[in-house]
Amino acid sequence: MSTANDIALAVSARLATISVANGFNTDIGLKSYRGRKRLDKTHMPCTVLIERDDKPSGQSLQRLPQVKVNQRYVLEGHAPCNADNPNDMGHKIIADLKKAIWSQPFTYGTEQRAISLMYEGKSIAPREDGLDVVAAAVEISVDFVEQLSNP
């Protein structure tokens, strides 16, 4: 389909490996969504991959126009938590997201490697009153080269 889609699918596939049976702290990878906004208890636990806008740089105007692209992703994990201490589960989610992404070299499509895979930060969302669910996220960026005539 496209390099950007191949990378998103590769990230999503890594998130889908997150389970206690696979040596992680949580089962957030048992349900994995790409771009889903609204969640309810039937979706828990889960991951959601959010794609931010990309930033092109270094465009080539050769016969085969290509551009270096920096793509940001937010990797969210959502799980039930202890309502008095939601950050405890939040930190487990963050550890699992990092482990899933960086436990092996990052490849996409037909074993192509990204130019870089960077950690951009983490967050734990404040728990909503009355809910025993927490959301935590890791933001990453991926640099890759895209052939503009054959994305």
Side-chain angles (χ1 to χ4, degrees):
M1 182 179 284
S2 71
T3 302
N5 186 65
D6 289 347
I7 291 172
L9 290 175
V11 171
S12 183
R14 292 214 179 179
L15 297 179
T17 67
I18 300 172
S19 71
V20 173
N22 287 339
F24 290 88
N25 297 304
T26 70
D27 282 324
I28 59 174
L30 296 180
K31 295 179 186 170
S32 192
Y33 304 102
R34 289 183 299 280
R36 186 175 182 100
K37 285 186 176 185
R38 298 198 189 280
L39 300 170
D40 60 42
K41 286 217 177 219
T42 65
H43 299 105
M44 302 298 150
C46 69
T47 62
V48 179
L49 174 63
I50 306 296
E51 296 185 47
R52 299 277 191 223
D53 294 342
D54 67 6
K55 294 181 184 174
S57 67
Q59 187 167 339
S60 164
L61 301 175
Q62 306 282 327
R63 284 186 306 151
L64 295 173
Q66 60 185 5
V67 64
K68 180 180 176 188
V69 176
N70 175 269
Q71 177 69 56
R72 285 191 173 233
Y73 300 92
V74 178
L75 319 176
E76 294 180 350
H78 302 263
C81 67
N82 175 320
D84 291 330
N85 298 293
N87 285 7
D88 295 347
M89 178 57 75
H91 285 289
K92 288 179 181 180
I93 290 169
I94 289 166
D96 283 354
L97 294 170
K98 289 177 182 178
K99 181 178 176 181
I101 297 300
W102 280 282
S103 62
Q104 55 186 307
F106 184 76
T107 60
Y108 61 92
T110 55
E111 297 302 312
Q112 295 184 32
R113 284 196 159 180
I115 295 171
S116 69
L117 174 65
M118 302 295 294
Y119 173 73
E120 301 291 344
K122 59 99 174 156
S123 64
I124 300 174
R127 181 186 62 78
E128 295 282 333
D129 287 340
L131 293 180
D132 60 349
V133 172
V134 68
V138 168
E139 188 163 346
I140 65 171
S141 64
V142 178
D143 286 342
F144 63 95
V145 174
E146 180 177 73
Q147 298 288 335
L148 295 173
S149 60
N150 184 22

